[in-house]
């Protein structure tokens, strides 16, 4: 049975990490299921907003399950575990729809990196953020030194990754990493999602792409996607395709 659940209620899709016995630590199977769910919501035009949370009263996600990677060879660790996780987290970050991480509890290591891949974050008052990788002799592998470096001030990121310090909800909000601290972050996120669902999905998608291009999130592909979308609506594209099919020279109007 999947440990990542997808529930769709009208325009809002909710992804829930459900591995409570291990504080929602991520396994290869969970990463695989998360990727499949992301593909589903991306292709569903009825879904306008995606929420991501964890099924545990005190933990959103405490990172990767150590038992899943501890015995891997250096080559397998780099080629499979790190690269696969990176690919799936990037998939989340580049989803066309707005995403909200609902930090119902602690977000450590890979859990913090997962939250960072969402557009905004809601956080419970008692939750904490941490990058504890050095305490078990490894380094952040799913964008903790890259995407997080764009979202947090460098000294704060070093404080967490190099010194092992935790960041509380109020400080995370003061740094702009968390949009809002709430007694009930899911209720807050659902209210935001309900409002966002009334916005133009095409406008929000393109705006998200433009922002990501500006901050370097898959900039090369986004620039070409935006250009491709623009030219796809032109008269010249229609004429070019028609000429190809009719085996004649095209007559472009520049429109």
């Amino acid at each position: 049975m999947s440990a990542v659940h997808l529930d769709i209620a009208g325009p809002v899709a909710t992804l829930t990490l459900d591995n409570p016995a291990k504080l929602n630590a991520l396994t290869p199977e969970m990463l695989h299921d998360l990727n499949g769910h992301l593909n589903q919501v991306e292709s569903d035009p009825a879904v306008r907003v995606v929420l991501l949370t964890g099924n545990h009263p005190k933990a959103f996600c405490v990172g990767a399950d150590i038992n899943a990677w501890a015995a891997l060879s250096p080559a397998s660790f780099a080629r499979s575990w790190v690269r696969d996780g990176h690919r799936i987290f990037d998939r989340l970050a580049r989803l066309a729809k707005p995403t909200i991480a609902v930090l119902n509890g602690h977000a450590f290591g890979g859990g913090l990196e997962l939250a960072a891949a969402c557009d905004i974050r809601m956080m419970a008052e008692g939750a904490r953020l941490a990058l504890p990788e050095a305490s078990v002799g490894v380094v952040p592998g799913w964008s903790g030194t890259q995407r997080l470096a764009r979202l947090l001030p460098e000294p704060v990121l070093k404080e967490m990754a190099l010194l092992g310090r935790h960041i509380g909800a109020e400080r995370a909000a003061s740094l702009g990493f968390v949009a809002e601290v709430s007694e009930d972050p899911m209720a807050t996120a659902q209210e935001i999602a309900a409002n966002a669902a009334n916005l133009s999905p095409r406008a929000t998608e393109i705006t998200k792409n433009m922002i990501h291009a500006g901050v370097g999130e898959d900039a090369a592909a986004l620039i070409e996607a935006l250009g491709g979308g623009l030219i796809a609506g032109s008269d010249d594209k229609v004429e070019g395709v028609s000429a190809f099919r009719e085996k004649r020279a095209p007559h472009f109007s520049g429109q």
Side-chain angles (χ1 to χ4, degrees):
M1 183 176 179
S2 174
V4 181
H5 305 306
L6 171 62
D7 298 295
I8 298 177
V12 180
T14 301
L15 290 162
T16 304
L17 307 178
D18 189 15
N19 186 14
K22 293 192 174 183
L23 303 180
N24 297 321
L26 294 165
T27 65
E29 294 77 18
M30 291 173 71
L31 292 175
H32 177 270
D33 291 343
L34 175 61
N35 189 53
H37 292 324
L38 292 174
N39 289 335
Q40 181 177 342
V41 299
E42 181 80 277
S43 62
D44 187 345
V47 173
R48 300 288 183 87
V49 187
V50 179
L51 309 184
L52 174 62
T53 192
N55 180 24
H56 192 282
K58 295 184 178 180
F60 166 72
C61 174
V62 296
D65 185 349
I66 292 179
N67 293 327
W69 56 261
L72 293 175
S73 69
S76 295
F77 188 86
R79 294 173 186 166
S80 299
W81 184 248
V82 174
R83 293 297 293 270
D84 284 352
H86 234 289
R87 174 177 54 80
I88 294 164
F89 282 28
D90 287 349
R91 180 76 181 84
L92 171 62
R94 296 161 191 174
L95 201 69
K97 303 154 196 276
T99 56
I100 304 173
V102 183
L103 305 183
N104 53 293
H106 304 320
F108 295 167
L112 176 55
E113 293 166 316
L114 182 64
C118 292
D119 294 318
I120 65 169
R121 288 150 288 279
M122 303 290 120
M123 192 168 176
E125 293 176 343
R128 301 185 71 79
L129 311 177
L131 288 170
E133 285 84 354
S135 68
V136 291
V138 295
V139 299
W142 290 338
S143 76
T145 63
Q146 304 301 306
R147 185 173 290 116
L148 272 173
R150 297 197 300 267
L151 298 173
L152 288 170
E154 179 184 343
V156 175
L157 181 57
K158 287 180 175 177
E159 179 184 345
M160 299 171 72
L162 306 184
L163 306 179
R165 297 196 69 185
H166 291 198
I167 300 296
E170 294 297 339
R171 188 177 180 198
S174 72
L175 294 168
F177 182 74
V178 169
E180 191 168 338
V181 178
S182 172
E183 291 184 1
D184 189 343
M186 177 55 79
T188 302
Q190 289 173 334
E191 181 180 352
I192 293 171
N195 292 330
N198 293 321
L199 303 177
S200 161
R202 188 63 176 148
T204 55
E205 176 185 355
I206 293 175
T207 301
K208 180 172 177 174
N209 287 347
M210 293 167 67
I211 293 170
H212 278 188
V215 300
E217 180 72 62
D218 199 29
L222 289 176
I223 289 170
E224 292 187 349
L226 291 169
L230 180 63
I231 201 67
S234 69
D235 292 345
D236 276 0
K237 176 258 186 180
V238 174
E239 169 60 14
V241 171
S242 296
F244 175 82
R245 289 174 173 169
E246 296 166 9
K247 296 180 171 47
R248 59 175 175 80
H251 302 286
F252 294 124
S253 67
Q255 301 299 314

